[in-house]
Amino acid sequence: MLNVKDDLKQQEISQAVIVADNFNKKFSPLTNSQPLFLLPVVNGTFMDYLLQSLEDAGIQETFIFCCSHNNIIRNYINSSHWSDKDSPMSVTVISDSGFLSMGDIMRALDAKALIRSDFILLNGAIITTFPLNDILEDHRKCRQADKNSAITLLYRKASPKHKTKCKEHCFLVAVESKSNRIRYYQRINKVKTSLIPLEVFQENDEVTVHYNLLDSYISICSPCVPPLFSDNFDYQSMDDFVRGLLVNEELLGNSMYIHIADVGYGANIANLYMYDAVSQDIMSRWTHPIVPDLIESHGCTFSHSEHNIYKQPGVEVGRNCQLKQNVVIGKGAAIGDNTFIENSVIGRNCIIGENVVIKGSYLWNRVSVGDGCNLNMCLLGENVKLQKNVQINAGCILGSEVVIDENIVVPALTRLQAEVFVDEDSFGEDDFDANLKSDQDKTCDFSVVGKKGHGYICKTTVESDEEDEDVLEDIWGKTIDESVDDDEESESSGSEIISPGEEVSDESEGGGYDDETNQFYNEVLESLQRGIEEKVNSENTILEINASKHAYNITIKEVNTLLIKALLKLPLDSLQVSTPQQYLSSMKPSLQFFHPLISKYIRSTESQLDCLSSIEEFMKSNEDIAPALIKVIHFWYDKELLKESVIIKWFKDLSPESDKVRKLTATFINWLQTADEESSEDEESSED
């Protein structure tokens, strides 16, 4: 009997699973050489804060799943106190290059059979003081009342204008008022209205609809959750999981609940906007006890004085310096005379010159700032060096080791890195323009960093979420309601290609699509956006598209046309796409990634003509970037997706309304015909 009790006790061990990767490039170039999990936040790292919170909550066993920079994470854990034998919490790092989404990690968790009971699932970039052990116990009690309970999602109240609520946190959830069981859930990032099914209200006595919640990205999961991911390979994210369980509730029989925390703090740092918001909360002590003066950092703590000024030992502050409010200064830092600092973090061993102004900025360790510099709402990585009289404007991100020459003004929203980061998804085609090839041969961008500077422009790609575009346009200080209305932008742009929630039209056929076709297009666009961001397998995306096709009774011609339109639309959601070169640079990863998917649909002559017709309409609606579409046609021709005979037939059949398309395409068509003639001559010569 003793052994049985011991076994039962072992099964009830408190466990947590941390997903250390964010599966995107929102923190690039900062995460090019180090993991997001170890980026500094005020006086610690994400890992330090999160593991300490789990240990304080009584968690006994934690698994960290990661894909990139796994050796750095593993070495950090091995050198920490969590690797000690007497540590109250064991920490195990599990890495695999195949972990490309939350779904992959949950399926691996199931395959390894690591889960013994209910567990806590968290993103790696979370700051929380929630009483997690109490919430875990509440979930267990809920499971006793409802054995089919699969998951409890942890939220906290936050108004739409709350500073820690950015666009990707916007969602609407309808729950049973008494039990908080989820009956309806929808992300509403760019949707102004949400239609809740009538049966949600008919089948429940009392329903509460929440829009005032902030997703902490913390979930309390039952042991059945990993197997559910294994059984449903189209579940790639937690949103997929929630939507899937709601849609298949009668079939799977699983239920979901929410827990609205009324005490504690919780926020997921999903992007740089949230990085700033949470950092300011830490300095303002909203995250107590996670505050600088109560957490040891590198062997010493911070002193705390009026107006939330935090300093470690060994800090030198010059005469007439003004430390206004919410300022953290790390050990060994030196501040020159007449310098003004507010709402900023100065890392260890930073050297700040005289007459410097620093507002709302984050300087990591060993940053050097020359006299007379002005830093406004920016982030500087380790060992960045600014010469005299440099001005860094809002939203700039300077990666480690970047050097800016004196008297340089760095434009707003500039991202710089010290080394060229080669895009693994480049075309590799010799006939593309030289300025669109790999950056390997580039010299420093001296126009930005100065003659004696060192740094390269870090180009963002389509992998950035559409929400991230709005955040980066004004990275510090923009709230949701202050952003430009997306629907108004779309209406004024005159573009035929639509965004989710808008209507699609087809001027080439002289009329608009019906509502079901519009909905199909929106779902295809969302599938492609999620696919490129989360690296979803093409087969899974094909299943989604085909399911939508049957659900909305869409013809195969419409599938081909709208699929190509959606693919061509993706780069327009990226940053700084106003020229053909920028469009093509952003389009490259999508063309490569989705080639297996597109090749499943574009096979016959008719489907190839559908594809070319979509390109034609896109060129007519987006004349500024139309030349880039010739390169897209060329790419698909080289990949043998589009046949020469079909391209020439399409070209010959172009209507007078497409005269501009004809002129842009003529050079490529001439090249095709010339290449064909030369090939024929070579064959005749070889026969002779």
Side-chain angles (χ1 to χ4, degrees):
M1 291 296 294
L2 183 61
N3 291 334
V4 173
K5 289 182 178 179
D6 289 342
D7 288 342
L8 290 174
K9 185 176 181 180
Q10 187 179 21
Q11 291 175 5
E12 294 176 357
I13 188 172
S14 297
Q15 295 177 297
V17 174
I18 298 174
V19 180
D21 289 290
N22 59 349
F23 309 113
N24 57 51
K25 297 181 180 179
K26 293 180 182 179
F27 284 85
S28 178
L30 304 174
T31 51
N32 287 351
S33 58
Q34 59 181 323
L36 171 68
F37 202 27
L38 287 177
L39 294 186
V41 184
V42 187
N43 64 316
T45 67
F46 290 117
M47 180 183 290
D48 293 329
Y49 290 133
L50 188 51
L51 291 181
Q52 189 61 55
S53 295
L54 292 174
E55 183 179 300
D56 293 343
I59 302 301
Q60 299 161 281
E61 189 174 36
T62 295
F63 301 102
I64 300 174
F65 283 81
C66 58
C67 173
S68 60
H69 308 299
N70 56 80
N71 288 331
I72 298 177
I73 294 176
R74 201 182 302 275
N75 292 337
Y76 190 93
I77 291 295
N78 290 338
S79 62
S80 70
H81 74 273
W82 286 293
S83 63
D84 296 341
K85 293 182 179 180
D86 57 350
S87 173
M89 180 177 70
S90 68
V91 179
T92 304
V93 178
I94 301 173
S95 61
D96 193 308
S97 59
F99 294 158
L100 301 180
S101 69
M102 166 80 77
D104 292 335
I105 288 174
M106 297 305 289
R107 284 182 276 275
L109 187 65
D110 181 42
K112 295 178 182 294
L114 298 173
I115 297 303
R116 308 176 199 176
S117 62
D118 301 305
F119 65 98
I120 302 175
L121 177 65
L122 315 93
N123 278 11
I126 286 176
I127 304 295
T128 180
T129 62
F130 289 141
L132 295 177
N133 200 39
D134 294 342
I135 298 171
L136 179 60
E137 286 301 318
D138 289 343
H139 171 79
R140 287 170 175 164
K141 292 177 182 178
C142 178
R143 274 227 299 152
Q144 291 177 357
D146 179 5
K147 294 182 179 180
N148 293 322
S149 173
I151 192 170
T152 299
L153 305 177
L154 181 52
Y155 300 134
R156 67 183 176 98
K157 290 185 178 180
S159 65
K161 294 184 179 181
H162 195 277
K163 62 182 178 180
T164 57
K165 190 172 186 179
C166 61
K167 274 199 168 185
E168 62 191 82
H169 287 146
C170 291
F171 64 94
L172 183 145
V173 60
V175 300
E176 294 180 15
S177 299
K178 294 182 179 180
S179 65
N180 273 343
R181 180 175 176 176
I182 299 176
R183 289 302 186 181
Y184 177 80
Y185 175 90
Q186 182 186 7
R187 289 280 177 184
I188 49 177
N189 301 351
K190 287 194 172 185
V191 179
K192 286 188 173 181
T193 59
S194 181
L195 301 178
I196 302 176
L198 183 60
E199 54 265 26
V200 171
F201 300 95
Q202 292 175 331
E203 297 173 359
N204 301 281
D205 295 334
E206 187 176 349
V207 174
T208 302
V209 179
H210 291 282
Y211 178 63
N212 62 333
L213 300 179
L214 191 151
D215 192 347
S216 67
Y217 288 81
I218 302 174
S219 307
I220 313 299
C221 302
S222 302
C224 67
V225 170
L228 284 170
F229 273 90
S230 295
D231 294 340
N232 298 272
F233 273 84
D234 55 333
Y235 293 172
Q236 297 298 330
S237 65
M238 186 54 70
D239 276 354
D240 292 338
F241 179 79
V242 172
R243 287 195 298 264
L245 288 197
L246 285 174
V247 170
N248 301 300
E249 188 172 10
E250 294 183 3
L251 178 63
L252 298 177
N254 298 110
S255 54
M256 297 177 291
Y257 294 82
I258 68 170
H259 179 99
I260 303 175
D262 52 7
V263 294
Y265 181 93
N268 175 52
I269 303 180
N271 50 43
L272 290 160
Y273 173 87
M274 288 296 294
Y275 180 92
D276 172 66
V278 174
S279 296
Q280 295 298 323
D281 278 353
I282 293 174
M283 290 187 284
S284 299
R285 308 183 74 79
W286 290 106
T287 59
H288 192 277
I290 298 179
V291 289
D293 54 305
L294 296 183
I295 296 180
E296 185 176 292
S297 176
H298 297 274
C300 57
T301 57
F302 286 79
S303 63
H304 176 226
S305 57
E306 191 178 6
H307 304 302
N308 294 327
I309 307 300
Y310 305 89
K311 291 187 290 186
Q312 279 187 321
V315 172
E316 298 180 8
V317 179
R319 294 174 299 176
N320 300 320
C321 280
Q322 295 185 57
L323 305 181
K324 189 74 172 178
Q325 64 177 1
N326 292 345
V327 176
V328 174
I329 305 178
K331 182 179 180 180
I335 315 296
D337 297 342
N338 302 308
T339 288
F340 178 92
I341 305 176
E342 70 173 347
N343 299 322
S344 299
V345 176
I346 310 298
R348 299 189 311 279
N349 300 312
C350 288
I351 306 298
I352 311 299
E354 299 179 357
N355 302 305
V356 173
V357 176
I358 302 176
K359 296 181 179 180
S361 299
Y362 302 89
L363 283 62
W364 292 357
N365 299 333
R366 299 178 298 280
V367 170
S368 175
V369 179
D371 296 343
C373 290
N374 191 319
L375 282 63
N376 182 34
M377 296 181 181
C378 59
L379 194 156
L380 277 56
E382 293 186 349
N383 300 308
V384 167
K385 186 174 183 179
L386 308 182
Q387 303 290 0
K388 295 180 180 180
N389 302 316
V390 171
Q391 180 175 329
I392 309 293
N393 287 313
C396 289
I397 312 296
L398 275 58
S400 299
E401 310 291 342
V402 168
V403 178
I404 306 296
D405 198 5
E406 60 184 27
N407 301 315
I408 292 293
V409 177
V410 180
L413 303 175
T414 300
R415 292 191 180 199
L416 293 171
Q417 54 194 355
E419 297 180 1
V420 174
F421 185 73
V422 179
D423 186 1
E424 296 178 355
D425 295 325
S426 60
F427 279 120
E429 302 292 339
D430 294 335
D431 52 0
F432 275 77
D433 293 341
N435 61 341
L436 297 177
K437 291 183 179 179
S438 171
D439 288 336
Q440 283 179 306
D441 300 327
K442 283 188 62 177
T443 58
C444 289
D445 291 294
F446 294 118
S447 61
V448 179
V449 301
K451 292 182 179 180
K452 296 182 180 180
H454 179 80
Y456 303 85
I457 293 289
C458 176
K459 297 179 181 179
T460 55
T461 69
V462 75
E463 289 184 330
S464 296
D465 283 350
E466 58 191 20
E467 303 91 349
D468 206 33
E469 176 182 353
D470 295 316
V471 171
L472 287 173
E473 286 176 355
D474 190 359
I475 192 167
W476 279 284
K478 172 180 280 189
T479 59
I480 299 172
D481 291 348
E482 292 171 343
S483 60
V484 178
D485 188 286
D486 295 291
D487 293 335
E488 292 178 0
E489 284 184 347
S490 300
E491 292 172 1
S492 62
S493 67
S495 173
E496 181 185 353
I497 309 302
I498 66 171
S499 297
E502 302 169 9
E503 292 187 354
V504 61
S505 63
D506 190 351
E507 296 176 1
S508 65
E509 297 184 7
Y513 288 114
D514 57 28
D515 291 340
E516 289 191 345
T517 308
N518 291 331
Q519 187 64 31
F520 170 78
Y521 173 84
N522 289 331
E523 291 189 5
V524 170
L525 183 57
E526 290 172 358
S527 294
L528 295 183
Q529 289 168 335
R530 185 170 62 255
I532 191 70
E533 176 191 348
E534 300 177 4
K535 302 298 183 186
V536 178
N537 185 282
S538 292
E539 295 298 328
N540 293 335
T541 306
I542 290 171
L543 289 175
E544 291 183 14
I545 294 173
N546 289 343
S548 298
K549 171 184 178 294
H550 294 298
Y552 298 111
N553 195 26
I554 304 299
T555 66
I556 188 62
K557 179 180 179 65
E558 290 174 324
V559 171
N560 295 335
T561 301
L562 296 177
L563 174 60
I564 298 301
K565 284 187 176 184
L567 179 62
L568 298 177
K569 171 70 168 60
L570 288 179
L572 299 186
D573 290 332
S574 302
L575 298 177
Q576 300 175 346
V577 174
S578 58
T579 67
Q581 290 78 15
Q582 291 169 344
Y583 176 85
L584 191 57
S585 180
S586 295
M587 187 65 178
K588 289 192 295 183
S590 297
L591 284 177
Q592 284 283 56
F593 183 78
F594 288 119
H595 181 69
L597 183 150
I598 299 299
S599 62
K600 295 290 186 181
Y601 291 94
I602 308 303
R603 293 182 174 182
S604 65
T605 298
E606 185 177 354
S607 64
Q608 292 177 54
L609 289 172
D610 293 338
C611 173
L612 289 164
S613 295
S614 292
I615 295 175
E616 175 187 347
E617 291 304 318
F618 186 88
M619 293 173 70
K620 290 161 63 177
S621 300
N622 299 272
E623 294 183 0
D624 291 343
I625 58 175
L629 275 297
I630 308 304
K631 298 294 186 182
V632 174
I633 297 174
H634 196 164
F635 173 78
W636 278 335
Y637 167 74
D638 287 341
K639 293 292 186 180
E640 299 182 351
L641 189 77
L642 297 176
K643 294 181 180 179
E644 177 184 337
S645 59
V646 178
I647 297 173
I648 293 175
K649 173 177 171 53
W650 163 75
F651 178 78
K652 290 180 178 179
D653 293 342
L654 286 173
S655 66
E657 296 176 355
S658 300
D659 186 55
K660 291 184 178 180
V661 175
R662 180 187 299 276
K663 290 179 180 179
L664 288 172
T665 318
T667 302
F668 174 65
I669 297 298
N670 290 336
W671 176 84
L672 274 181
Q673 294 173 332
T674 302
D676 185 51
E677 291 173 1
E678 291 177 353
S679 176
S680 299
E681 291 176 0
D682 291 341
E683 289 178 1
E684 291 176 0
S685 299
S686 62
E687 290 177 359
D688 294 340

